[in-house]
C-alpha cells in the first residue's frame, strides 16, 4: 500500500519528518518497507523558468520558425529559435535553459543544448504543455498570465512540491489502515493529537429532480447501499493538483470524475463507483444476483460468465457492474457523460472475496471490500466525493441521498480487566495510560470499574473483537520497544522426544546437499497402475484424473518420474533425495509411513579434462547409504540380500529384525513403467525406524587412545553364500575390547578355486586404550578369530 507524506499531513498537525513518521508507523504495526522521495511530474520541472518574450521575428531561412529574445531574469537575454505558431512578443512563457533535462508526457527525456538551427543560435527552448509533462496539449507553447514574475522557477509557479511515498506492508487484519485516514489514525494515537477529517458541511442537495430508484434485493451481500445523482457535470481532464496527488501513489489519471472516486478511495478507504446515469435504463438500480452463466462484459472488454452467487449492480434490463470488484463496459463514465449516479456501499467481505477470486480480478476496491470496510463511512464519503466532483467537474446534486441500511452494524462489545492487560503486556503501564490509548484509537469506554473497562469498538476495526485484541492495540501504540526485557524468564520444560524429526531430517539433507544431491518434493497422489498391490492401495473416491487416482505406496515412481523429466531435457547425471509419506490399507485400516529415498543415475562425476567420466555403480549408492548411517551413528545392522521385487539386485540392512533400508539397481519392469532407459540406483529408508534408532543412541565421549594400533590380515576360503557382513559380525562378537575395525580389501572368485567357494581377504585393526599391545595379546585374539570364523562360517584360512 502506498501512502503520501504530504497527504498524511492534511489529516494530522505534526512537524515530524518523513523518516520520523516512518519509524512511528513501523512501531505501530504498519511496517514501512520503503520510503522514497517522489515527484508528481518526472524531473520536478528542474531547470525550467518563467521568461518574457521581448522580441519575435521570422527566421530568415525558414517559413515556420521564429527567432526570439527572451528575458529569464538573469540580466542577459537568451536567443531562442521557436517553431510554435502562437509565439509572440510580450508573452510570459516557460523556458528550458541550456543543460536542462525535460520529461515529455510521451517519449523519452532529453537534454537542452546550445545549438544552431538553420544558421541561428538557439540557447534554450520555449515549452509546450506536453513537452514538460504538464499535460497532453501540443497545439502551441504555454502562454502564462502577464503578472507572473520573470525568472520565477516553474516548479514554484505551478506549485509543485516534493513528496515522500511510503510503501507499507499492510497485513490482512489491518483493513482499517488501507487509506490515508486510517494510517493517520495510528500516527495521531501515537502522538496523542487529533485528526483533521475533510469538511463536508458545504454539501447540499440543490434539487430532487433526478432521483434514481434503488432496490436492494440481496441485503446479506449488500448490508448498506448509498447513492446520489449529480447532474450537468463536465467530464474532462483533472486539474494538476488532483493528478499530482494520485501520481505520487502510483494511480493513473483517467478523467476528473473517476479520479475523484479514486482520490476518496485512497483518502478515506471507501470505494466508490460512478455510473453514467444515461446507462441506467428504467431509471432504476437493482442490487441483486443474476442467473448462472450470464455473460457480462467488464471495463477491460472481457466477456465473463457470472455465477449465481456474484452480486451485481443492475439497471432495469441488464447488469452494469460486478459489485465491489469491477465495472461494466457500458455504464462507465465517458467524455459524453453529463449526469452520474454515485454509489457508496458496504458489501459483504466474503461475497466480494469469492467473486474476486473466481474471476482473478484484484482491484483497489476489492482489496478493501474483501478485508472489511467501514459501514459508517458510506454517506460521509458520498458527500466528500460530491463536493470534489463539483469542484473539478461542475454540476449539482439533483437527488436526495439514498441510504439503504436496514440492520446497522453494531460496535463490538468487549470487556477487559486491567489485570489481563498488565499480564499480557508483561508490565504495568498505568490505568490512565491505558484509557488514553483506548480513547485515541476511537474505542469508546462505556463503563469503568476498579477491575476494568467495558468497551465499544467501532465496526471498521474488524480485527478487534476480543480482549486480547484490545491488549494488542494498546501495546502497539504504547510501543513494543518500551517493554523492558525482564531479568527473570519463566519457561516450561519441553518434554518432547529428542532429537526431533526435523532435526534428523536436516542432518541428512545437509549431508546429501553438500555432496551434490538435490532435494525433490513430489505429489502424494499418483497412478494406481504403479501399484504392485492395488487391493492394498488407498484409492481416491473422486479423482481429478486417471493419473492421480491413488495415494502412493512407494517413493520410487515419483523419483523415476523426476528422472525421466530431466533426462528428456538432456540432464542425464542426477542425484535426488526425497522425504515423504507412503500410504496403504490393511484390514480396513489406513497405514501412513514416513520414508526417505535416494536416487542416483548417469555419471558419478562431472566431465573433466584429466579424467574420464565413470557411470555410477551400486557401490556409489552403498557408500551414500553407509555414509548416512555412519553420520547418524546407527550401527549393528544386519546385511542381507534384498527381497524387493522392484530391484534387479541389491541389499537390505536389518535392525532388530526390521528392514531399515533397502537399496540397489532398479529393475527393468519399474523403469519401463516410467519410460526411463538408463540405469537407476535407488535406496529406500524406513524413516520411522531411522528416527527410533537415532533416539536410542547414547553419545559417549572417550579420550583418543595414546597407544598404537596393530593391523593383522587374514585370507580365507568361504562358501559363496557367506557374506562379508556375516564375517564382520562373527569377528565383532569374538572380541569387543581390542578389535576396532574389520574391513575387506580383496575378493576373488574364479576357476582356480574349488566349486562353490570364494576368497576373502580381511584386515583387522586392534588397539588397547590403556597400554601398547604385545604380540602375545594380538596372537591370542587372532587365534580366537580364526577358530570362530571356521566354526561359524566354515572359513578355511589360506596360508
Amino acid at each position: 500500500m502506498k501512502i503520501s507524506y504530504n497527504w498524511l499531513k492534511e489529516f494530522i498537525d505534526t512537524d515530524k519528518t518523513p523518516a520520523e513518521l516512518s519509524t512511528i508507523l513501523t512501531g505501530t504495526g504498519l511496517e514501512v518497507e520503503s520510503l522514497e522521495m517522489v515527484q508528481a511530474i518526472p524531473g520536478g520541472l528542474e531547470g525550467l523558468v518563467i521568461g518574457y518574450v521581448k522580441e519575435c521575428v521570422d527566421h530568415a531561412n525558414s517559413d515556420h520558425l521564429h527567432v526570439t529574445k527572451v528575458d529569464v531574469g538573469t540580466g542577459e537575454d537568451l536567443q531562442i529559435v521557436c517553431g510554435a505558431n502562437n509565439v509572440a512578443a510580450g508573452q510570459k512563457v516557460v523556458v528550458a535553459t541550456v543543460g536542462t533535462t525535460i520529461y515529455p508526457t510521451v517519449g523519452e527525456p532529453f537534454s537542452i543544448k546550445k545549438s544552431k538551427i538553420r544558421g541561428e543560435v538557439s540557447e534554450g527552448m520555449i515549452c509546450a504543455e506536453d513537452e514538460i509533462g504538464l499535460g497532453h496539449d501540443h497545439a502551441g507553447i504555454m502562454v502564462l498570465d502577464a503578472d507572473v514574475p520573470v525568472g520565477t522557477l516553474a516548479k514554484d509557479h505551478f506549485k509543485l512540491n516534493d513528496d515522500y511515498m511510503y510503501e507499507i506492508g499492510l497485513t490482512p487484519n489491518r483493513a482499517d489502515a488501507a487509506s490515508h485516514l486510517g494510517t493517520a489514525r495510528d500516527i495521531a494515537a501515537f502522538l496523542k493529537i487529533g485528526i483533521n477529517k475533510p469538511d463536508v458541511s458545504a454539501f447540499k442537495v440543490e434539487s430532487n429532480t433526478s432521483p434514481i430508484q434503488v432496490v436492494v434485493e440481496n441485503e446479506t451481500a449488500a448490508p448498506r447501499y448509498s447513492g446520489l445523482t449529480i447532474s450537468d457535470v463536465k467530464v474532462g481532464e483533472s486539474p494538476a493538483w488532483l493528478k499530482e496527488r494520485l501520481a505520487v501513489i502510483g494511480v493513473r489519471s483517467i478523467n476528473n470524475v473517476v479520479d475523484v472516486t479514486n482520490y476518496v478511495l485512497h483518502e478515506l478507504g471507501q470505494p466508490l463507483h460512478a455510473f453514467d446515469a444515461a446507462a441506467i435504463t428504467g431509471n432504476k438500480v437493482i442490487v441483486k444476483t443474476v442467473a448462472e452463466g450470464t455473460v457480462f462484459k467488464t471495463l477491460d472488454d472481457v466477456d465473463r460468465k457470472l455465477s449465481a452467487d456474484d452480486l451485481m449492480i443492475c439497471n432495469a434490463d441488464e447488469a452494469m457492474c460486478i459489485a465491489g470488484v469491477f465495472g461494466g463496459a457500458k455504464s462507465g463514465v465517458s467524455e459524453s457523460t453529463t449526469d452520474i449516479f454515485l454509489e457508496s456501499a458496504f458489501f459483504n467481505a466474503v461475497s466480494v472475496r469469492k467473486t474476486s477470486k473466481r474471476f482473478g480480478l484484484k482491484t483497489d476496491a476489492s482489496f478493501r471490500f474483501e478485508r472489511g470496510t467501514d459501514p459508517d463511512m458510506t454517506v460521509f464519503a458520498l458527500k466528500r466525493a460530491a463536493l470534489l466532483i463539483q469542484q473539478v467537474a461542475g454540476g449539482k446534486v439533483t437527488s436526495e441521498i439514498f441510504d439503504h441500511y436496514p440492520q446497522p452494524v453494531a460496535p463490538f462489545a468487549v470487556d477487559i480487566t486491567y489485570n489481563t492487560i498488565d499480564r499480557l503486556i508483561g508490565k504495568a503501564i498505568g490505568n490512565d495510560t491505558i484509557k488514553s490509548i483506548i480513547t485515541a484509537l476511537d474505542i469508546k469506554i462505556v463503563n469503568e470499574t476498579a477491575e476494568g473497562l467495558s468497551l465499544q469498538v467501532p465496526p471498521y476495526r474488524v480485527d478487534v473483537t476480543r480482549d486480547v485484541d484490545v491488549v494488542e492495540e494498546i501495546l502497539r501504540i504504547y510501543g513494543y520497544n518500551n517493554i523492558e526485557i525482564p531479568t527473570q524468564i519463566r519457561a516450561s520444560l519441553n518434554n518432547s522426544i529428542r532429537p526431533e524429526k526435523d532435526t534428523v531430517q536436516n542432518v541428512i539433507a545437509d549431508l546429501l546437499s553438500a555432496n551434490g544431491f538435490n532435494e525433490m518434493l513430489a505429489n502424494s497422489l499418483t497412478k494406481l497402475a504403479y501399484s504392485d498391490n492395488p487391493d492394498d492401495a488407498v484409492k481416491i473416491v473422486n479423482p481429478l484424473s486417471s493419473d492421480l487416482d491413488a495415494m502412493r505406496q512407494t517413493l520410487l515412481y515419483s523419483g523415476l518420474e523426476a528422472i525421466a523429466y530431466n533426462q528428456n531435457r538432456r540432464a542425464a547425471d542426477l542425484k535426488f533425495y526425497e522425504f515423504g509419506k507412503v500410504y496403504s490399507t490393511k484390514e480396513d485400516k489406513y497405514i501412513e509411513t514416513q520414508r526417505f529415498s535416494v536416487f542416483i543415475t548417469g555419471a558419478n562425476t562431472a566431465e573433466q579434462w584429466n579424467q574420464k567420466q565413470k557411470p555410477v555403480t551400486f557401490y556409489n549408492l552403498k557408500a551414500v547409504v553407509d555414509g548416512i548411517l555412519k553420520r547418524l551413528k546407527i550401527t549393528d545392522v544386519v546385511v542381507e540380500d534384498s527381497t524387493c521385487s522392484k530391484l534387479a539386485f541389491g541389499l537390505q540392512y536389518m535392525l532388530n529384525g526390521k528392514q531399515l533400508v533397502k537399496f540397489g539397481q532398479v529393475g527393468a519392469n519399474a523403469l519401463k513403467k516410467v519410460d526411463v532407459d538408463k540405469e537407476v540406483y535407488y535406496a529406500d529408508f524406513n524413516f520411522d525406524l531411522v528416527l527410533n534408532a537415532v533416539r536410542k543412541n547414547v553419545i559417549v565421549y572417550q579420550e583418543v587412545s595414546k597407544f598404537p594400533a596393530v593391523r593383522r590380515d587374514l585370507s580365507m576360503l568361504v562358501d559363496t553364500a557367506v557374506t562379508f557382513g556375516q564375517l564382520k559380525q562373527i569377528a565383532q562378537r569374538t572380541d569387543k575390547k581390542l578389535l576396532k575395525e574389520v574391513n575387506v580389501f580383496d575378493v576373488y572368485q574364479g576357476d582356480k578355486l574349488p566349486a562353490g567357494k570364494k576368497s576373502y581377504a580381511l584386515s583387522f585393526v586392534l588397539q588397547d586404550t590403556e597400554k601398547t599391545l604385545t604380540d602375545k595379546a594380538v596372537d591370542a585374539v587372532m587365534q580366537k578369530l580364526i577358530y570362530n570364523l571356521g566354526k561359524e562360517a566354515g572359513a578355511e584360512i589360506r596360508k
Side-chain angles (χ1 to χ4, degrees), residues 636-639 714 716-719 721-737 739 741-742 760 762 764 781-797:
D636 299 330
V637 295
V638 177
V639 182
L714 288 178
M716 63 194 73
L717 283 177
V718 295
D719 293 337
V722 176
T723 65
F724 166 67
Q726 292 173 314
L727 298 176
K728 184 177 180 180
Q729 288 179 349
I730 293 171
Q732 289 174 333
R733 289 198 301 269
T734 299
D735 188 282
K736 296 183 179 180
K737 179 180 179 183
L739 184 62
E741 294 181 22
V742 181
Y760 269 137
L762 305 184
F764 301 88
V781 173
M782 294 306 299
Q783 288 303 317
K784 288 182 183 179
L785 288 172
I786 292 171
Y787 176 79
N788 287 339
L789 290 171
K791 180 182 178 182
E792 297 184 33
E796 300 177 28
I797 305 302

Side-chain angles (χ1 to χ4, degrees), residues 232-377:
D232 301 328
V233 298
K234 185 175 182 181
V235 179
E237 188 174 353
S238 294
W241 70 267
L242 180 53
K243 291 191 292 185
E244 175 184 342
R245 185 55 61 82
L246 293 176
V248 168
I249 58 173
V251 178
R252 180 176 61 89
S253 174
I254 299 175
N255 60 54
N256 47 12
V257 173
V258 174
D259 287 355
V260 165
T261 62
N262 286 332
Y263 183 91
V264 173
L265 166 76
H266 289 279
E267 180 184 54
L268 303 178
Q270 174 62 47
L272 305 172
H273 189 74
F275 295 92
D276 186 338
I280 304 177
T281 59
N283 206 36
K284 179 185 290 187
V285 169
I286 308 172
V287 185
K288 64 177 183 177
T289 55
V290 295
E292 181 78 29
T294 301
V295 177
F296 177 69
K297 179 172 286 189
T298 47
L299 273 172
D300 53 359
D301 284 330
V302 176
D303 289 329
R304 305 180 190 273
K305 287 188 177 181
L306 301 174
S307 163
D309 296 327
D310 296 326
L311 185 68
M312 305 297 295
I313 311 301
C314 308
N315 56 32
D317 299 324
E318 60 184 352
M320 299 187 294
C321 174
I322 303 176
V325 180
F326 213 41
K330 295 181 180 179
S331 61
V333 173
S334 64
E335 292 183 357
S336 61
T337 300
T338 58
D339 299 345
I340 63 171
F341 176 74
L342 194 60
E343 165 196 279
S344 178
F346 171 65
F347 294 122
N348 180 276
V350 175
S351 173
V352 174
R353 187 182 305 118
K354 288 181 177 179
T355 299
S356 174
K357 185 176 181 180
R358 184 178 297 117
F359 294 116
L361 290 171
K362 295 296 181 182
T363 62
D364 285 337
S366 67
F367 176 85
R368 288 157 176 82
F369 276 130
E370 65 187 35
R371 285 163 174 77
T373 58
D374 183 0
D376 297 330
M377 181 60 72

Side-chain angles (χ1 to χ4, degrees), residues 279-491:
I280 304 177
T281 59
N283 206 36
K284 179 185 290 187
V285 169
I286 308 172
V287 185
K288 64 177 183 177
T289 55
V290 295
E292 181 78 29
T294 301
V295 177
F296 177 69
K297 179 172 286 189
T298 47
L299 273 172
D300 53 359
D301 284 330
V302 176
D303 289 329
R304 305 180 190 273
K305 287 188 177 181
L306 301 174
S307 163
D309 296 327
D310 296 326
L311 185 68
M312 305 297 295
I313 311 301
C314 308
N315 56 32
D317 299 324
E318 60 184 352
M320 299 187 294
C321 174
I322 303 176
V325 180
F326 213 41
K330 295 181 180 179
S331 61
V333 173
S334 64
E335 292 183 357
S336 61
T337 300
T338 58
D339 299 345
I340 63 171
F341 176 74
L342 194 60
E343 165 196 279
S344 178
F346 171 65
F347 294 122
N348 180 276
V350 175
S351 173
V352 174
R353 187 182 305 118
K354 288 181 177 179
T355 299
S356 174
K357 185 176 181 180
R358 184 178 297 117
F359 294 116
L361 290 171
K362 295 296 181 182
T363 62
D364 285 337
S366 67
F367 176 85
R368 288 157 176 82
F369 276 130
E370 65 187 35
R371 285 163 174 77
T373 58
D374 183 0
D376 297 330
M377 181 60 72
T378 60
V379 172
F380 183 88
L382 266 184
K383 294 179 179 179
R384 172 65 168 160
L387 290 171
L388 288 174
I389 289 173
Q390 289 177 302
Q391 178 183 338
V392 302
K396 53 184 180 292
V397 179
T398 55
S399 77
E400 298 288 345
I401 293 178
F402 173 84
D403 186 24
H404 183 79
Y405 196 20
Q407 295 182 340
V409 178
F412 303 111
V414 179
D415 292 326
I416 191 167
T417 65
Y418 291 124
N419 181 57
T420 298
I421 297 172
D422 294 341
R423 178 174 56 84
L424 294 180
I425 289 179
K427 175 183 178 180
I429 64 174
N431 295 357
D432 291 340
T433 301
I434 291 171
K435 289 187 290 185
S436 66
I437 292 175
I438 286 175
T439 304
L441 287 169
D442 203 19
I443 299 174
K444 185 178 180 181
I445 300 174
V446 295
N447 187 40
E448 179 182 4
T449 66
E451 289 75 28
L453 304 168
S454 294
L455 308 174
Q456 284 186 350
V457 181
Y460 66 80
R461 287 310 308 268
V462 294
D463 61 323
V464 184
T465 58
R466 305 167 301 167
D467 56 352
V468 290
D469 299 327
V470 175
V471 175
E472 182 183 4
E473 292 297 294
I474 295 169
L475 182 53
R476 68 182 184 84
I477 298 300
Y478 181 78
Y480 291 96
N481 293 334
N482 293 325
I483 306 299
E484 300 83 359
I485 298 176
T487 56
Q488 180 184 14
I489 298 178
R490 297 178 181 177

